[in-house]
Every structure is written in structure tokens, then in C-alpha cells.
Amino acid sequence: MDRVFQALADETRRAMVQRLIRGPVSVSELARPLEMSLPAVMQHIQVLEACGLVRSEKIGRVRTCRIEPDVLRTAEDWLAEQRTSWERRLDRLGDYLLDDPGTPEQGSL
């Protein structure tokens, strides 16, 4: 999962993933809105493929990329677990602060 988050740390790769979530697309179409060379786009795709987020296949002269939803879902699940854990902790802290008799009331500062 470290490689997935390292890949997603880059803004260009996040934009590629966002586009691929809508469906498979050719490399040239994926590169169209990006201000970089096709070889640079291919390097980004290779990073996404290496971590398993993206799969590509070449048919004739066209290379088509698609998202690997299971890998993306694993990252989403991990983030959701972290968010839930932190929300519980913050809720407990809020409850503690409200119940603490030594804490000044909200309006009395």
C-alpha cells in the first residue's frame, strides 16, 4: 500500500487516476490535458502500473489504460478506517472536555 500512496502523492498521477475512474482511455487521450511530453506521461503510467493502480494493454498502435478498482478500493478502505478511528478519538476528547469540571464554560472566556 505504501507504493499506492507514493504514486498518489503526485498531482499528475492523481489527475490520471481521476480520469481513469470514468473508464478506460488511450494514453494519448490521457495525455491530452497534461502539459508534458508523451514519454513523461508514460513514466507516470509506469509508476501507476508498478503499484497496481492502473493496467494497460496495447492493441495495434493504441495503448489503453484502465483503473484497477480493487487496488483503489483497498486504499479507500484504509483511509476510511483511519478517518473512523480519528473521529472516535476526537469524539472522546470532546466528551472529556465537556465533562471536565476544571474546564471553563464556552461563554465564560
Side-chain angles (χ1 to χ4, degrees), residues 3 6-8 10 12-14 16-17 27-28 30-31 34 36-54 56 63 65:
R3 293 174 76 185
Q6 287 173 347
L8 292 174
D10 182 85
T12 298
R13 291 191 285 268
R14 286 193 309 272
M16 291 176 163
V17 167
V27 170
S28 59
L30 194 59
L34 305 172
M36 62 180 62
S37 67
L38 201 53
V41 169
M42 285 303 299
Q43 286 180 335
H44 284 291
I45 291 170
Q46 288 171 350
V47 171
L48 291 169
E49 285 181 313
C51 73
L53 272 171
V54 170
S56 71
R63 178 168 296 279
C65 298

Side-chain angles (χ1 to χ4, degrees), residues 53-85:
L53 272 171
V54 170
R55 183 172 41 103
S56 71
E57 63 181 335
K58 188 171 184 177
I59 299 174
R61 296 180 58 172
V62 178
R63 178 168 296 279
T64 302
C65 298
R66 68 186 75 250
I67 198 80
E68 286 294 328
D70 290 341
V71 176
L72 189 58
R73 198 169 296 115
T74 300
E76 288 173 329
D77 291 346
W78 184 86
L79 287 169
E81 288 173 20
Q82 299 308 305
R83 181 177 40 249
T84 300
S85 174

Side-chain angles (χ1 to χ4, degrees), residues 89-109:
R89 290 175 185 171
L90 291 172
D91 287 345
R92 285 195 314 262
L93 176 61
D95 292 343
Y96 172 78
L97 292 174
L98 287 174
D99 292 342
D100 186 8
T103 304
E105 303 246 348
Q106 186 107 4
S108 65
L109 293 176

